[in-house]
Amino acid sequence: MSRSARPLTSARVLHKIKALTTPQNTDYVVNRNPRNLERLRIAYKPGGYHLEKPGRSFWHTLEINTSGRYVSADVKHFENGTILSASTSEWAIKQQLYKTNDTAAFINLGRVLAHRCLQSGITEMTCNVEAVPGSKLQKLLQTLQDNGVSFKEPARLENTQPWDAERHEKPWAVSEQSLNTTVPQKSEK
C-alpha cells in the first residue's frame, strides 16, 4: 500500500494535529488581536474638540438607552461602532425577568453586559451617563463595576523624546522591583 493511500487512523490524525499546532522556532510572534495596541496603551485615541461635551477621548464608551418597555446597553468603539450590546428585549434575558424595565431588569442587564465585556477582553471603558443616586440606572452602573468593569480608561502613553528627562515605564516591560515582592512571614505563637 502506498503511503498516501493508507487508511486514516486516530494515531495518524493525532500526529498530524500535533505537527500543525506546535509552534515553529521563529524570531517574532504575530498578534492577531485587533485591540492589542489599546491594551498596551499606545493606540491612537481621538482627542476631539475642546468645546465638545462629553468629549471624544475614549477607546470604548458605554451608552444606555431606555424606552417605555425595554432597556439596552451598548459598548461602542470610537472607530468601529457598536462592539457589544445587551438588551432586555433579547429572548434569553426577557424569559428570566418579570418585567423588562424594573430595577431587577437593570441589575441583571448590568451582570450580562459585564460578563460579555469580560469575555471579550474589555475591562475599561468611559461612561458619560450621569445617574441619580439610588436610581435604577445607578444600580446598573454599580453592578457593572462590581463585576469587574472599570469606568476609567488608562491614559495613552505619549511618545517620549530623546531630550525628555524622565521616561515612563512601558506597560509590557517587567521591572525587577515588581518581581521582588516581599511575602510577610507568619509569626509562630
Side-chain angles (χ1 to χ4, degrees):
M1 225 184 208
S2 70
R3 187 170 190 151
S4 63
R6 287 191 310 193
L8 283 176
T9 62
S10 60
R12 285 185 59 208
V13 171
L14 184 62
H15 177 71
K16 187 68 173 176
I17 289 172
K18 284 183 180 178
L20 291 174
T21 58
T22 54
Q24 305 297 325
N25 293 335
T26 58
D27 295 337
Y28 60 91
V29 176
V30 176
N31 188 348
R32 295 183 296 185
N33 181 0
R35 308 279 181 248
N36 187 43
L37 294 178
E38 294 167 5
R39 302 283 295 165
L40 292 174
R41 298 178 16 204
I42 56 177
Y44 170 74
K45 188 185 253 191
Y49 299 103
H50 66 280
L51 294 176
E52 282 183 321
K53 186 174 181 181
R56 272 193 254 166
S57 183
F58 61 83
W59 286 306
H60 301 101
T61 188
L62 175 68
E63 289 186 1
I64 300 170
N65 300 318
T66 58
S67 67
R69 198 164 173 185
Y70 299 112
V71 181
S72 66
D74 300 328
V75 176
K76 295 197 175 191
H77 189 262
F78 77 97
E79 278 183 334
N80 303 335
T82 303
I83 296 174
L84 292 171
S85 66
S87 175
T88 57
S89 65
E90 294 177 18
W91 183 82
I93 298 174
K94 189 184 345 181
Q95 294 299 314
Q96 303 297 323
L97 299 173
Y98 181 70
K99 287 181 71 178
T100 55
N101 63 354
D102 61 346
T103 304
F106 275 78
I107 291 172
N108 287 312
L109 183 68
R111 286 183 190 153
V112 169
L113 186 66
H115 182 68
R116 290 179 185 177
C117 286
L118 295 179
Q119 278 186 333
S120 64
I122 298 172
T123 57
E124 295 120 359
M125 65 181 77
T126 60
C127 179
N128 298 323
V129 178
E130 296 293 329
V132 177
S135 66
K136 296 187 251 185
L137 191 56
Q138 194 268 336
K139 292 185 189 228
L140 183 141
L141 297 176
Q142 186 62 41
T143 305
L144 277 169
Q145 288 179 333
D146 292 343
N147 287 308
V149 177
S150 172
F151 289 137
K152 182 165 173 41
E153 283 187 339
R156 182 176 182 265
L157 290 177
E158 296 298 326
N159 195 10
T160 56
Q161 302 299 328
W163 53 82
D164 290 342
E166 292 188 19
R167 295 172 187 260
H168 54 268
E169 184 177 350
K170 307 283 192 259
W172 57 86
V174 178
S175 64
E176 294 294 323
Q177 293 171 352
S178 64
L179 293 177
N180 296 332
T181 58
T182 59
V183 178
Q185 300 291 331
K186 292 183 179 179
S187 61
E188 295 180 23
K189 291 186 180 181

